[in-house]
Amino acid sequence: MGHHRKALRTTAVGAVSATLVAGTALGFAPTAHAAPNVRFVDIAGDGGTVLKANVVTPAGSRGTDRHPLLVMPTSWGLPQVEYLAQAQKLADSGYVVVTYNVRGFWQSGGEIEVAGPPDVADASKVIDWALAHTPADAGHIGMAGVSYGAGISLLTAAHDKRVKAVASLSGWADLIGSIYSGRTQHLQAAALLDGASVVTGRQSPELRQTFNDLYGSNLAKEPELVAWGKKRSAATYVDRINDNGAAVMLANAWGDSVFPPNQYVDFYEKLTGPKRLEMRPGDHATAELTGLFGLPNDVWKDTARWFDHYLRGEDNGIDHEQPVQLKSRSAGGYEGYPDWKSVAATDRKIALGGTTTIRANVNSGADGGVVFLSSILDQVAQLPPMASIPLLPRRWAAVWQSEKSATAQQVRGTAKLHTTLTPTKESGTLVAYLYDVGPLGLGKLVTHAPYTFHGRTPGKPFGVDLELYSTAYDVPAGHRLALVVDTVDPLYIEHNPSGAQLTFSSPANDPSYVSVPLREQ
């Protein structure tokens, strides 16, 4: 297992290197034609750390003019010109825009703190600098960012009352709920982040140790890992965000393999101020990508509308639209809902009857896919990970199927698994997959999620409740839904001792089922 993780991290570093070299070449292209209202500056962050930044001001702005301010921290591993195309568009519509490279990456000073207190303090220092050196209006300040910049923006809104509006794109609200959901390490996602930070930045000793502890599966370190993540999660400070009254827009992709959608949904539900939730097909930051090159993009269009209303007071109607906007992975067009609980009109329960025993340690062929690649294929070609359900080896995979449905089923929201599990070892990992199964038995992945347990008594049954990743997927008429459970998936670190077996049962007084949320037909 250790050799496998080392090889995966090495592969990730190589892949990230190639990606960033190509992305950087494209990203730096706009600088050759940068508008005269673009300045490249150094800003002193927390403790005097130098932050490399771009400042874009509205053309023709006079000394007495004041404009709304937007501060945009960069994504993990990307250079300071990441947002230049969008910054110029926003400046053209009347904003002062300051984008900066977060500490520890590229030419900015310091070490990578993973949205820790120094990063939040840096954002406030950037606001201070902008108010002192640009025609920014102190009463109209917003923050926006993709991925890492999204998380820092949310955290700053909790700690700096001057931030009145936020657009958090492909970010996180719960860091542990993202990379350690179901008490399971998201191996490929962590390796990607690790590799990117090695190539483009300077890891702090704390970050290096955190990655090592994550890979090492040391349960003694689990409380430290959870505490580390909570300090860096906006969900921990949601009451502060609510008290400050910032208008918060959240946008994410159904297949985000770094920050799965459930943790955003949970956070959205707890917000009490003006809020908006947008979910689309794709993987991490892929929905926003074309907009970074200045191309038409729904996410960035709504981001501009959000700030136009909440910072400039423009009556553009965004506050009157349904605040939850979803786009199905299977069909075009957006669906609006008044709140998250309205997304699913009903739940279809599929009974998981009988008693089934599977052996651990072998991949059955049912998988969640590959970070980025699988969800991008789903986004552009509607080709999610697939498996032949009849051919899955029942020695290593438990399979239950529904009857054929006479009508199409629009899955919307969060499917939930409830079952009774009896292990032969005190620790173990299972991964649950929900498939759309066609007439020939080919299953297309609808959603999935991992689950890990520790400290259980071998031979003693216990209840398992697992939320699968939220999604929007249309199952054609005549198809079945299938639930598959196995124990190995390359996306995750598994904790099944050699020779372990898992038995799933459905007691009469506590039947097992998977609950599938369906939109009103």
Side-chain angles (χ1 to χ4, degrees), residues 385-403:
M386 300 182 189
S388 175
I389 304 304
L391 296 181
L392 289 175
R394 272 36 176 190
R395 181 183 181 90
W396 296 297
V399 180
W400 298 267
Q401 294 193 72
S402 72
E403 298 296 323

Side-chain angles (χ1 to χ4, degrees), residues 70 95 143-144 165-167 303-312:
L70 290 179
Y95 294 92
M143 289 191 67
V166 174
T303 295
R305 294 174 63 223
W306 189 253
F307 288 130
D308 285 346
H309 179 74
Y310 287 102
L311 293 184
R312 299 175 61 197

Side-chain angles (χ1 to χ4, degrees), residues 365-513:
D367 285 328
V370 178
V371 166
F372 282 117
L373 176 62
S374 298
S375 290
I376 290 175
L377 283 173
D378 189 34
Q379 178 182 0
V380 302
Q382 296 184 6
L383 290 174
M386 300 182 189
S388 175
I389 304 304
L391 296 181
L392 289 175
R394 272 36 176 190
R395 181 183 181 90
W396 296 297
V399 180
W400 298 267
Q401 294 193 72
S402 72
E403 298 296 323
K404 293 181 181 179
S405 176
T407 60
Q409 302 174 85
Q410 296 180 314
V411 179
R412 298 291 185 272
T414 308
K416 299 176 182 178
L417 167 66
H418 174 75
T419 190
T420 297
L421 173 62
T422 305
T424 59
K425 306 289 185 179
E426 67 173 4
S427 294
T429 296
L430 62 88
V431 186
Y433 310 88
L434 185 66
Y435 284 99
D436 159 23
V437 185
L440 299 180
L442 183 64
K444 294 183 176 181
L445 187 64
V446 177
T447 182
H448 80 286
Y451 177 90
T452 294
F453 60 89
H454 297 288
R456 293 291 179 175
T457 302
K460 183 177 180 180
F462 64 94
V464 171
D465 288 287
L466 174 63
E467 289 191 349
L468 279 61
Y469 299 142
S470 303
T471 195
Y473 181 97
D474 298 347
V475 180
H479 285 211
R480 305 174 189 268
L481 286 168
L483 183 81
V484 176
V485 180
D486 71 2
T487 63
V488 176
D489 190 307
L491 286 172
Y492 310 108
I493 292 178
E494 50 93 5
H495 297 263
N496 298 295
S498 179
Q501 298 183 26
L502 304 179
T503 297
F504 302 92
S505 58
S506 184
N509 62 344
D510 186 20
S512 296
Y513 62 85

Side-chain angles (χ1 to χ4, degrees), residues 205-387:
E206 182 184 37
L207 175 58
R208 183 65 263 157
Q209 187 61 51
T210 299
F211 275 125
N212 291 342
D213 291 343
L214 189 74
Y215 298 136
S217 304
N218 184 352
L219 281 179
K221 294 288 187 177
E222 187 179 49
E224 294 178 27
L225 176 67
V226 171
W228 176 87
K230 285 185 177 297
K231 183 187 295 185
R232 292 161 168 80
S233 298
T236 303
Y237 314 102
V238 66
D239 290 343
R240 293 188 191 180
I241 295 177
N242 290 335
D243 290 342
N244 293 346
V248 177
M249 172 180 156
L250 305 172
N252 203 0
W254 295 119
D256 195 317
S257 50
V258 179
F259 303 129
N262 298 47
Q263 47 92 30
Y264 246 17
V265 169
D266 293 342
F267 178 70
Y268 174 83
E269 292 282 86
K270 296 174 183 176
L271 292 171
T272 58
K275 59 182 179 178
R276 183 179 177 92
L277 175 66
E278 299 186 355
M279 304 294 285
R280 299 174 174 85
D283 205 308
H284 184 63
T286 62
E288 298 87 3
L289 184 60
T290 57
L292 295 178
F293 298 101
L295 300 175
N297 182 279
D298 288 350
V299 186
W300 288 105
K301 180 182 70 175
D302 287 346
T303 295
R305 294 174 63 223
W306 189 253
F307 288 130
D308 285 346
H309 179 74
Y310 287 102
L311 293 184
R312 299 175 61 197
E314 185 176 303
D315 187 12
N316 57 17
I318 196 167
D319 57 321
H320 298 304
E321 296 172 0
Q322 300 277 38
V324 176
Q325 294 285 323
L326 311 182
K327 189 174 185 180
S328 169
R329 292 162 47 203
S330 312
Y334 289 89
E335 304 162 3
Y337 301 89
D339 48 43
W340 180 255
K341 67 177 180 291
S342 301
V343 169
T346 185
D347 289 326
R348 178 186 180 186
K349 283 190 175 182
I350 300 172
L352 310 179
T355 298
T356 303
T357 298
I358 61 174
R359 291 166 173 79
N361 312 118
V362 174
N363 190 339
S364 72
D367 285 328
V370 178
V371 166
F372 282 117
L373 176 62
S374 298
S375 290
I376 290 175
L377 283 173
D378 189 34
Q379 178 182 0
V380 302
Q382 296 184 6
L383 290 174
M386 300 182 189

